[in-house]
Amino acid sequence: MFKKIKLDYSTLEPVINDKNLDLHYNKHYQKYVDNLNNLIKDYNGSVIDVIKNIDSFDKDKRSQILVNAGGVYNHELYFRSMNDKPYTNNKLLDDIIKQYGTYDNFKKLFIDTANKLVGSGYTFLVLKDNKFDIINLPNQDNPYSYDMMPLIALDLWEHAYYLTYYNDRLKYINNFFSIINYDYANRLYEENK
Ligand SMILES: [Fe+2]
């Protein structure tokens, strides 16, 4: 049985308002968790296992399982990608600066990439072959399906920001960037490098 992760709205309040978060967490994310539980009962692995082993499921259910597992994983990474605590320097940030030259280069590339996404999807910081990449994926596609490891996720579906920012998606993208949880991303990075 897949269960929702906990989310403390107050830590994200400066960037996304309560009503917006409540709908996102209790309606949109909840729907993917419920759908996945209905599709695969009594599964013993993680959501990542589902995505990585999608070929082991019934052919006629596979696409539905994948979209809902992606919906669960992507939302969990997105919610965990934000917090209101100032970040401390870590291995991930050191290596980001090594690859991109400066933090500002990384920031500009992340924001420019997110700004270019057309339609619903996510911007991810991923690791592929020990190098970082910043990519957009449509709908609930997940980097694990492409042999990439996601470290940070930005939800760019309208439901993620519309009640706070209306049509000003770029402001949402910029504000998201200001509360990225590099401690969590670094934990994923150090565990799996
Ligand atoms: Fe979402």
Short mmCIF file of all heavy atoms in Angstrom, two decimals, residues 85-146:
data_model
loop_
_atom_site.label_atom_id
_atom_site.label_comp_id
_atom_site.label_asym_id
_atom_site.label_seq_id
_atom_site.Cartn_x
_atom_site.Cartn_y
_atom_site.Cartn_z
N LYS A 85 14.16 26.50 4.93
CA LYS A 85 15.41 26.67 5.68
C LYS A 85 16.53 27.07 4.73
O LYS A 85 16.60 26.55 3.62
CB LYS A 85 15.78 25.36 6.37
CG LYS A 85 14.82 25.00 7.47
CD LYS A 85 15.12 23.62 8.02
CE LYS A 85 13.96 23.17 8.90
NZ LYS A 85 12.74 22.86 8.11
N PRO A 86 17.40 27.99 5.17
CA PRO A 86 18.52 28.34 4.30
C PRO A 86 19.41 27.12 4.09
O PRO A 86 19.63 26.36 5.03
CB PRO A 86 19.26 29.43 5.08
CG PRO A 86 18.75 29.37 6.47
CD PRO A 86 17.44 28.64 6.47
N TYR A 87 19.88 26.94 2.89
CA TYR A 87 20.68 25.73 2.64
C TYR A 87 22.11 25.92 3.11
O TYR A 87 22.63 27.02 3.15
CB TYR A 87 20.62 25.32 1.17
CG TYR A 87 21.13 26.35 0.19
CD1 TYR A 87 22.49 26.44 -0.10
CD2 TYR A 87 20.24 27.20 -0.46
CE1 TYR A 87 22.95 27.38 -1.01
CE2 TYR A 87 20.70 28.15 -1.36
CZ TYR A 87 22.05 28.23 -1.63
OH TYR A 87 22.51 29.15 -2.51
N THR A 88 22.70 24.80 3.48
CA THR A 88 24.11 24.82 3.85
C THR A 88 24.90 24.21 2.70
O THR A 88 24.37 23.43 1.92
CB THR A 88 24.34 23.98 5.11
OG1 THR A 88 23.63 22.75 4.98
CG2 THR A 88 23.87 24.71 6.35
N ASN A 89 26.15 24.57 2.61
CA ASN A 89 26.96 24.06 1.52
C ASN A 89 27.10 22.55 1.63
O ASN A 89 27.17 22.01 2.72
CB ASN A 89 28.33 24.73 1.55
CG ASN A 89 28.80 24.99 0.13
OD1 ASN A 89 28.00 24.98 -0.81
ND2 ASN A 89 30.08 25.18 -0.04
N ASN A 90 27.10 21.88 0.52
CA ASN A 90 27.24 20.43 0.55
C ASN A 90 27.89 19.93 -0.74
O ASN A 90 28.18 20.72 -1.65
CB ASN A 90 25.88 19.76 0.82
CG ASN A 90 24.84 20.10 -0.23
OD1 ASN A 90 25.16 20.26 -1.41
ND2 ASN A 90 23.60 20.22 0.19
N LYS A 91 28.09 18.63 -0.80
CA LYS A 91 28.78 18.00 -1.94
C LYS A 91 28.03 18.28 -3.25
O LYS A 91 28.63 18.58 -4.29
CB LYS A 91 28.87 16.49 -1.67
CG LYS A 91 29.41 15.66 -2.80
CD LYS A 91 30.92 15.49 -2.66
CE LYS A 91 31.49 14.58 -3.75
NZ LYS A 91 32.33 15.29 -4.71
N LEU A 92 26.71 18.17 -3.19
CA LEU A 92 25.91 18.41 -4.39
C LEU A 92 26.15 19.81 -4.95
O LEU A 92 26.42 19.99 -6.14
CB LEU A 92 24.41 18.23 -4.08
CG LEU A 92 23.45 18.64 -5.21
CD1 LEU A 92 23.52 17.69 -6.39
CD2 LEU A 92 22.02 18.72 -4.69
N LEU A 93 26.09 20.81 -4.07
CA LEU A 93 26.29 22.19 -4.54
C LEU A 93 27.71 22.40 -5.05
O LEU A 93 27.92 23.08 -6.06
CB LEU A 93 25.95 23.18 -3.41
CG LEU A 93 24.45 23.40 -3.24
CD1 LEU A 93 24.14 23.98 -1.87
CD2 LEU A 93 23.88 24.31 -4.32
N ASP A 94 28.67 21.80 -4.37
CA ASP A 94 30.07 21.89 -4.85
C ASP A 94 30.19 21.34 -6.26
O ASP A 94 30.83 21.94 -7.13
CB ASP A 94 31.01 21.07 -3.94
CG ASP A 94 31.26 21.78 -2.61
OD1 ASP A 94 30.90 22.97 -2.50
OD2 ASP A 94 31.80 21.14 -1.70
N ASP A 95 29.56 20.17 -6.49
CA ASP A 95 29.67 19.52 -7.79
C ASP A 95 28.85 20.24 -8.87
O ASP A 95 29.24 20.25 -10.03
CB ASP A 95 29.27 18.04 -7.69
CG ASP A 95 30.32 17.24 -6.92
OD1 ASP A 95 31.39 17.80 -6.60
OD2 ASP A 95 30.07 16.05 -6.62
N ILE A 96 27.74 20.84 -8.45
CA ILE A 96 26.96 21.66 -9.40
C ILE A 96 27.83 22.82 -9.88
O ILE A 96 27.90 23.12 -11.07
CB ILE A 96 25.65 22.17 -8.74
CG1 ILE A 96 24.60 21.05 -8.69
CG2 ILE A 96 25.10 23.39 -9.47
CD1 ILE A 96 23.33 21.39 -7.93
N ILE A 97 28.52 23.47 -8.93
CA ILE A 97 29.35 24.63 -9.29
C ILE A 97 30.54 24.18 -10.15
O ILE A 97 30.92 24.87 -11.09
CB ILE A 97 29.76 25.41 -8.02
CG1 ILE A 97 28.51 26.14 -7.48
CG2 ILE A 97 30.87 26.42 -8.32
CD1 ILE A 97 28.61 26.62 -6.06
N LYS A 98 31.08 22.99 -9.86
CA LYS A 98 32.17 22.46 -10.70
C LYS A 98 31.71 22.30 -12.14
O LYS A 98 32.42 22.62 -13.08
CB LYS A 98 32.61 21.08 -10.17
CG LYS A 98 33.87 21.15 -9.33
CD LYS A 98 34.32 19.76 -8.92
CE LYS A 98 34.89 19.80 -7.51
NZ LYS A 98 34.80 18.54 -6.81
N GLN A 99 30.49 21.78 -12.32
CA GLN A 99 30.01 21.53 -13.69
C GLN A 99 29.53 22.79 -14.40
O GLN A 99 29.79 22.97 -15.58
CB GLN A 99 28.90 20.47 -13.68
CG GLN A 99 28.46 20.13 -15.11
CD GLN A 99 27.45 19.00 -15.18
OE1 GLN A 99 27.52 18.04 -14.41
NE2 GLN A 99 26.52 19.11 -16.11
N TYR A 100 28.81 23.64 -13.67
CA TYR A 100 28.19 24.81 -14.33
C TYR A 100 29.02 26.09 -14.19
O TYR A 100 28.63 27.12 -14.71
CB TYR A 100 26.77 25.03 -13.79
CG TYR A 100 25.82 23.92 -14.21
CD1 TYR A 100 25.53 22.87 -13.34
CD2 TYR A 100 25.24 23.90 -15.47
CE1 TYR A 100 24.68 21.84 -13.73
CE2 TYR A 100 24.38 22.88 -15.86
CZ TYR A 100 24.11 21.84 -14.99
OH TYR A 100 23.27 20.83 -15.38
N GLY A 101 30.13 26.02 -13.49
CA GLY A 101 30.99 27.20 -13.37
C GLY A 101 30.63 28.04 -12.16
O GLY A 101 31.45 28.25 -11.28
N THR A 102 29.39 28.53 -12.13
CA THR A 102 28.93 29.30 -10.97
C THR A 102 27.50 28.89 -10.62
O THR A 102 26.79 28.32 -11.45
CB THR A 102 28.89 30.83 -11.27
OG1 THR A 102 27.93 31.05 -12.31
CG2 THR A 102 30.24 31.37 -11.69
N TYR A 103 27.11 29.22 -9.39
CA TYR A 103 25.73 28.95 -8.97
C TYR A 103 24.76 29.73 -9.84
O TYR A 103 23.70 29.23 -10.21
CB TYR A 103 25.57 29.32 -7.49
CG TYR A 103 24.19 29.01 -6.94
CD1 TYR A 103 23.83 27.70 -6.65
CD2 TYR A 103 23.26 30.03 -6.73
CE1 TYR A 103 22.56 27.41 -6.16
CE2 TYR A 103 21.99 29.74 -6.24
CZ TYR A 103 21.65 28.43 -5.96
OH TYR A 103 20.40 28.14 -5.48
N ASP A 104 25.13 30.96 -10.19
CA ASP A 104 24.24 31.78 -11.03
C ASP A 104 24.03 31.19 -12.42
O ASP A 104 22.94 31.30 -12.98
CB ASP A 104 24.78 33.22 -11.14
CG ASP A 104 24.41 34.04 -9.91
OD1 ASP A 104 23.64 33.52 -9.06
OD2 ASP A 104 24.89 35.18 -9.79
N ASN A 105 25.07 30.56 -13.00
CA ASN A 105 24.90 29.87 -14.29
C ASN A 105 23.88 28.75 -14.17
O ASN A 105 23.03 28.57 -15.03
CB ASN A 105 26.22 29.24 -14.77
CG ASN A 105 27.22 30.28 -15.25
OD1 ASN A 105 26.87 31.44 -15.43
ND2 ASN A 105 28.45 29.84 -15.45
N PHE A 106 24.03 27.99 -13.08
CA PHE A 106 23.09 26.88 -12.83
C PHE A 106 21.67 27.43 -12.67
O PHE A 106 20.72 26.92 -13.28
CB PHE A 106 23.53 26.12 -11.58
CG PHE A 106 22.50 25.19 -11.03
CD1 PHE A 106 22.11 24.06 -11.74
CD2 PHE A 106 21.90 25.43 -9.79
CE1 PHE A 106 21.14 23.19 -11.23
CE2 PHE A 106 20.94 24.58 -9.29
CZ PHE A 106 20.55 23.45 -10.01
N LYS A 107 21.55 28.48 -11.89
CA LYS A 107 20.23 29.08 -11.65
C LYS A 107 19.59 29.56 -12.96
O LYS A 107 18.42 29.28 -13.22
CB LYS A 107 20.39 30.27 -10.67
CG LYS A 107 19.10 31.00 -10.39
CD LYS A 107 19.31 32.14 -9.40
CE LYS A 107 18.00 32.88 -9.21
NZ LYS A 107 18.11 33.97 -8.22
N LYS A 108 20.37 30.23 -13.76
CA LYS A 108 19.85 30.77 -15.02
C LYS A 108 19.38 29.63 -15.94
O LYS A 108 18.31 29.69 -16.53
CB LYS A 108 20.92 31.62 -15.71
CG LYS A 108 20.42 32.33 -16.94
CD LYS A 108 21.46 33.25 -17.56
CE LYS A 108 20.92 34.03 -18.76
NZ LYS A 108 20.16 33.26 -19.73
N LEU A 109 20.19 28.58 -16.02
CA LEU A 109 19.85 27.45 -16.89
C LEU A 109 18.59 26.73 -16.40
O LEU A 109 17.73 26.35 -17.19
CB LEU A 109 21.03 26.48 -16.97
CG LEU A 109 20.95 25.44 -18.08
CD1 LEU A 109 20.92 26.10 -19.46
CD2 LEU A 109 22.14 24.48 -17.99
N PHE A 110 18.48 26.58 -15.08
CA PHE A 110 17.30 25.90 -14.52
C PHE A 110 16.04 26.72 -14.83
O PHE A 110 15.04 26.18 -15.30
CB PHE A 110 17.47 25.71 -13.01
CG PHE A 110 16.42 24.82 -12.39
CD1 PHE A 110 16.69 23.48 -12.15
CD2 PHE A 110 15.15 25.31 -12.07
CE1 PHE A 110 15.72 22.64 -11.59
CE2 PHE A 110 14.18 24.48 -11.52
CZ PHE A 110 14.47 23.14 -11.28
N ILE A 111 16.12 28.02 -14.57
CA ILE A 111 14.95 28.88 -14.77
C ILE A 111 14.60 28.98 -16.26
O ILE A 111 13.44 28.88 -16.64
CB ILE A 111 15.17 30.25 -14.10
CG1 ILE A 111 15.15 30.07 -12.58
CG2 ILE A 111 14.12 31.27 -14.54
CD1 ILE A 111 15.58 31.27 -11.77
N ASP A 112 15.62 29.12 -17.11
CA ASP A 112 15.36 29.19 -18.57
C ASP A 112 14.72 27.90 -19.08
O ASP A 112 13.82 27.93 -19.90
CB ASP A 112 16.67 29.43 -19.34
CG ASP A 112 17.17 30.86 -19.19
OD1 ASP A 112 16.41 31.70 -18.64
OD2 ASP A 112 18.31 31.14 -19.62
N THR A 113 15.22 26.77 -18.59
CA THR A 113 14.68 25.48 -19.03
C THR A 113 13.22 25.36 -18.60
O THR A 113 12.36 25.00 -19.40
CB THR A 113 15.51 24.31 -18.43
OG1 THR A 113 16.87 24.48 -18.82
CG2 THR A 113 15.01 22.96 -18.93
N ALA A 114 12.94 25.67 -17.34
CA ALA A 114 11.56 25.58 -16.84
C ALA A 114 10.65 26.52 -17.64
O ALA A 114 9.53 26.15 -18.00
CB ALA A 114 11.54 25.93 -15.36
N ASN A 115 11.15 27.69 -17.93
CA ASN A 115 10.36 28.68 -18.65
C ASN A 115 9.99 28.21 -20.06
O ASN A 115 9.02 28.67 -20.64
CB ASN A 115 11.15 29.99 -18.70
CG ASN A 115 10.28 31.19 -18.99
OD1 ASN A 115 9.08 31.18 -18.67
ND2 ASN A 115 10.85 32.20 -19.61
N LYS A 116 10.78 27.29 -20.61
CA LYS A 116 10.55 26.81 -21.98
C LYS A 116 9.55 25.66 -22.05
O LYS A 116 9.15 25.26 -23.14
CB LYS A 116 11.87 26.34 -22.59
CG LYS A 116 12.73 27.49 -23.08
CD LYS A 116 14.02 26.96 -23.70
CE LYS A 116 15.00 28.11 -23.91
NZ LYS A 116 16.39 27.67 -23.79
N LEU A 117 9.19 25.08 -20.91
CA LEU A 117 8.26 23.94 -20.96
C LEU A 117 6.90 24.39 -21.52
O LEU A 117 6.35 25.38 -21.08
CB LEU A 117 8.05 23.33 -19.57
CG LEU A 117 7.08 22.15 -19.57
CD1 LEU A 117 7.80 20.84 -19.91
CD2 LEU A 117 6.37 21.99 -18.25
N VAL A 118 6.41 23.64 -22.49
CA VAL A 118 5.10 23.93 -23.07
C VAL A 118 4.13 22.88 -22.55
O VAL A 118 4.41 21.68 -22.59
CB VAL A 118 5.17 23.88 -24.61
CG1 VAL A 118 3.79 24.07 -25.22
CG2 VAL A 118 6.15 24.91 -25.14
N GLY A 119 3.00 23.31 -22.04
CA GLY A 119 2.00 22.37 -21.52
C GLY A 119 2.35 21.89 -20.13
O GLY A 119 3.14 22.50 -19.42
N SER A 120 1.76 20.75 -19.73
CA SER A 120 1.95 20.23 -18.37
C SER A 120 3.18 19.34 -18.29
O SER A 120 3.42 18.54 -19.19
CB SER A 120 0.73 19.42 -17.95
OG SER A 120 -0.39 20.24 -17.90
N GLY A 121 3.93 19.47 -17.21
CA GLY A 121 5.10 18.62 -17.02
C GLY A 121 5.95 19.12 -15.87
O GLY A 121 5.47 19.88 -15.01
N TYR A 122 7.19 18.68 -15.88
CA TYR A 122 8.10 19.01 -14.78
C TYR A 122 9.47 19.40 -15.33
O TYR A 122 9.87 18.94 -16.40
CB TYR A 122 8.35 17.78 -13.90
CG TYR A 122 7.17 17.35 -13.06
CD1 TYR A 122 6.11 16.66 -13.63
CD2 TYR A 122 7.13 17.61 -11.69
CE1 TYR A 122 5.03 16.23 -12.86
CE2 TYR A 122 6.05 17.19 -10.93
CZ TYR A 122 5.01 16.50 -11.52
OH TYR A 122 3.94 16.09 -10.76
N THR A 123 10.17 20.22 -14.56
CA THR A 123 11.60 20.43 -14.78
C THR A 123 12.33 19.66 -13.70
O THR A 123 11.95 19.72 -12.52
CB THR A 123 11.96 21.93 -14.70
OG1 THR A 123 11.23 22.61 -15.72
CG2 THR A 123 13.45 22.15 -14.91
N PHE A 124 13.35 18.90 -14.12
CA PHE A 124 14.13 18.10 -13.17
C PHE A 124 15.61 18.45 -13.26
O PHE A 124 16.13 18.66 -14.36
CB PHE A 124 14.04 16.60 -13.53
CG PHE A 124 12.69 15.98 -13.35
CD1 PHE A 124 11.83 15.84 -14.44
CD2 PHE A 124 12.30 15.48 -12.12
CE1 PHE A 124 10.59 15.23 -14.29
CE2 PHE A 124 11.06 14.86 -11.96
CZ PHE A 124 10.21 14.74 -13.05
N LEU A 125 16.26 18.45 -12.10
CA LEU A 125 17.72 18.31 -12.09
C LEU A 125 17.96 16.81 -11.97
O LEU A 125 17.44 16.16 -11.05
CB LEU A 125 18.35 19.02 -10.90
CG LEU A 125 19.87 18.75 -10.75
CD1 LEU A 125 20.67 19.40 -11.87
CD2 LEU A 125 20.38 19.25 -9.38
N VAL A 126 18.69 16.25 -12.93
CA VAL A 126 18.94 14.81 -12.93
C VAL A 126 20.43 14.53 -12.99
O VAL A 126 21.24 15.39 -13.34
CB VAL A 126 18.26 14.10 -14.13
CG1 VAL A 126 16.75 14.25 -14.09
CG2 VAL A 126 18.83 14.59 -15.47
N LEU A 127 20.73 13.29 -12.65
CA LEU A 127 22.09 12.79 -12.77
C LEU A 127 22.06 11.69 -13.83
O LEU A 127 21.23 10.78 -13.76
CB LEU A 127 22.51 12.21 -11.42
CG LEU A 127 24.00 12.04 -11.14
CD1 LEU A 127 24.70 13.38 -11.21
CD2 LEU A 127 24.19 11.42 -9.76
N LYS A 128 22.92 11.82 -14.82
CA LYS A 128 23.02 10.77 -15.85
C LYS A 128 24.49 10.55 -16.13
O LYS A 128 25.21 11.50 -16.46
CB LYS A 128 22.28 11.19 -17.11
CG LYS A 128 22.24 10.07 -18.15
CD LYS A 128 21.48 10.50 -19.41
CE LYS A 128 21.64 9.51 -20.53
NZ LYS A 128 20.85 8.29 -20.38
N ASP A 129 24.94 9.32 -16.01
CA ASP A 129 26.35 8.98 -16.22
C ASP A 129 27.26 9.91 -15.41
O ASP A 129 28.25 10.43 -15.93
CB ASP A 129 26.71 9.05 -17.71
CG ASP A 129 25.84 8.13 -18.55
OD1 ASP A 129 25.41 7.08 -18.02
OD2 ASP A 129 25.56 8.47 -19.72
N ASN A 130 26.88 10.16 -14.15
CA ASN A 130 27.67 10.99 -13.25
C ASN A 130 27.78 12.45 -13.66
O ASN A 130 28.66 13.16 -13.18
CB ASN A 130 29.06 10.41 -13.03
CG ASN A 130 29.02 9.32 -11.98
OD1 ASN A 130 28.31 9.44 -10.99
ND2 ASN A 130 29.76 8.25 -12.23
N LYS A 131 26.92 12.91 -14.55
CA LYS A 131 26.88 14.34 -14.89
C LYS A 131 25.47 14.85 -14.63
O LYS A 131 24.48 14.12 -14.76
CB LYS A 131 27.24 14.55 -16.36
CG LYS A 131 28.70 14.26 -16.65
CD LYS A 131 29.25 15.13 -17.77
CE LYS A 131 29.41 16.58 -17.34
NZ LYS A 131 30.18 17.40 -18.29
N PHE A 132 25.40 16.14 -14.30
CA PHE A 132 24.08 16.75 -14.09
C PHE A 132 23.47 17.14 -15.42
O PHE A 132 24.18 17.46 -16.37
CB PHE A 132 24.19 18.02 -13.23
CG PHE A 132 24.74 17.77 -11.86
CD1 PHE A 132 25.98 18.26 -11.49
CD2 PHE A 132 24.00 17.04 -10.93
CE1 PHE A 132 26.49 18.03 -10.23
CE2 PHE A 132 24.51 16.81 -9.67
CZ PHE A 132 25.76 17.31 -9.32
N ASP A 133 22.14 17.16 -15.44
CA ASP A 133 21.44 17.73 -16.58
C ASP A 133 20.15 18.35 -16.05
O ASP A 133 19.63 17.91 -15.01
CB ASP A 133 21.13 16.64 -17.62
CG ASP A 133 20.90 17.23 -19.01
OD1 ASP A 133 20.95 18.47 -19.15
OD2 ASP A 133 20.65 16.45 -19.95
N ILE A 134 19.67 19.36 -16.72
CA ILE A 134 18.40 19.99 -16.36
C ILE A 134 17.46 19.73 -17.52
O ILE A 134 17.75 20.14 -18.66
CB ILE A 134 18.58 21.50 -16.11
CG1 ILE A 134 19.57 21.73 -14.96
CG2 ILE A 134 17.24 22.15 -15.80
CD1 ILE A 134 20.14 23.14 -14.90
N ILE A 135 16.39 19.01 -17.25
CA ILE A 135 15.52 18.57 -18.36
C ILE A 135 14.06 18.84 -18.05
O ILE A 135 13.66 18.94 -16.89
CB ILE A 135 15.68 17.04 -18.62
CG1 ILE A 135 15.27 16.23 -17.37
CG2 ILE A 135 17.11 16.70 -19.06
CD1 ILE A 135 14.96 14.78 -17.67
N ASN A 136 13.27 18.96 -19.10
CA ASN A 136 11.82 19.01 -18.97
C ASN A 136 11.25 17.68 -19.44
O ASN A 136 11.70 17.13 -20.44
CB ASN A 136 11.24 20.11 -19.87
CG ASN A 136 11.57 21.50 -19.37
OD1 ASN A 136 11.74 21.71 -18.17
ND2 ASN A 136 11.65 22.45 -20.29
N LEU A 137 10.27 17.18 -18.70
CA LEU A 137 9.54 15.99 -19.15
C LEU A 137 8.05 16.31 -19.11
O LEU A 137 7.58 17.03 -18.23
CB LEU A 137 9.83 14.79 -18.25
CG LEU A 137 11.23 14.17 -18.35
CD1 LEU A 137 11.38 13.02 -17.36
CD2 LEU A 137 11.52 13.67 -19.77
N PRO A 138 7.29 15.78 -20.09
CA PRO A 138 5.86 16.07 -20.15
C PRO A 138 5.05 15.23 -19.16
O PRO A 138 5.48 14.14 -18.77
CB PRO A 138 5.49 15.71 -21.59
CG PRO A 138 6.45 14.62 -21.95
CD PRO A 138 7.73 14.93 -21.20
N ASN A 139 3.89 15.74 -18.82
CA ASN A 139 2.88 14.98 -18.04
C ASN A 139 3.48 14.42 -16.76
O ASN A 139 4.02 15.16 -15.97
CB ASN A 139 2.24 13.92 -18.93
CG ASN A 139 1.67 14.54 -20.18
OD1 ASN A 139 0.98 15.55 -20.08
ND2 ASN A 139 1.96 14.01 -21.34
N GLN A 140 3.38 13.09 -16.54
CA GLN A 140 3.98 12.50 -15.33
C GLN A 140 5.15 11.59 -15.69
O GLN A 140 5.45 10.64 -14.97
CB GLN A 140 2.92 11.73 -14.52
CG GLN A 140 1.79 12.60 -13.98
CD GLN A 140 2.26 13.66 -13.00
OE1 GLN A 140 3.41 13.69 -12.56
NE2 GLN A 140 1.36 14.57 -12.65
N ASP A 141 5.81 11.88 -16.80
CA ASP A 141 7.01 11.10 -17.16
C ASP A 141 8.05 11.24 -16.05
O ASP A 141 8.14 12.28 -15.41
CB ASP A 141 7.61 11.61 -18.46
CG ASP A 141 6.96 10.97 -19.68
OD1 ASP A 141 5.89 10.38 -19.52
OD2 ASP A 141 7.55 11.07 -20.77
N ASN A 142 8.83 10.19 -15.87
CA ASN A 142 9.80 10.20 -14.79
C ASN A 142 11.20 9.90 -15.31
O ASN A 142 11.37 9.02 -16.16
CB ASN A 142 9.39 9.15 -13.75
CG ASN A 142 10.30 9.19 -12.54
OD1 ASN A 142 11.37 8.63 -12.55
ND2 ASN A 142 9.86 9.90 -11.53
N PRO A 143 12.21 10.62 -14.80
CA PRO A 143 13.58 10.41 -15.28
C PRO A 143 14.06 8.96 -15.18
O PRO A 143 14.87 8.52 -15.98
CB PRO A 143 14.41 11.33 -14.39
CG PRO A 143 13.47 12.42 -13.99
CD PRO A 143 12.13 11.74 -13.84
N TYR A 144 13.56 8.22 -14.17
CA TYR A 144 14.00 6.82 -14.04
C TYR A 144 13.66 5.99 -15.28
O TYR A 144 14.33 5.01 -15.57
CB TYR A 144 13.39 6.17 -12.79
CG TYR A 144 14.09 6.55 -11.51
CD1 TYR A 144 13.44 7.30 -10.54
CD2 TYR A 144 15.41 6.15 -11.28
CE1 TYR A 144 14.09 7.65 -9.36
CE2 TYR A 144 16.06 6.50 -10.10
CZ TYR A 144 15.40 7.25 -9.15
OH TYR A 144 16.04 7.59 -7.99
N SER A 145 12.62 6.40 -16.01
CA SER A 145 12.26 5.69 -17.24
C SER A 145 13.31 5.90 -18.33
O SER A 145 13.32 5.20 -19.33
CB SER A 145 10.91 6.17 -17.77
OG SER A 145 9.90 5.89 -16.83
N TYR A 146 14.17 6.90 -18.14
CA TYR A 146 15.20 7.22 -19.14
C TYR A 146 16.61 7.03 -18.57
O TYR A 146 17.55 7.67 -19.02
CB TYR A 146 15.01 8.67 -19.63
CG TYR A 146 13.61 8.95 -20.15
CD1 TYR A 146 12.64 9.50 -19.31
CD2 TYR A 146 13.26 8.61 -21.46
CE1 TYR A 146 11.35 9.74 -19.76
CE2 TYR A 146 11.97 8.85 -21.92
CZ TYR A 146 11.02 9.41 -21.07
OH TYR A 146 9.74 9.63 -21.53
#
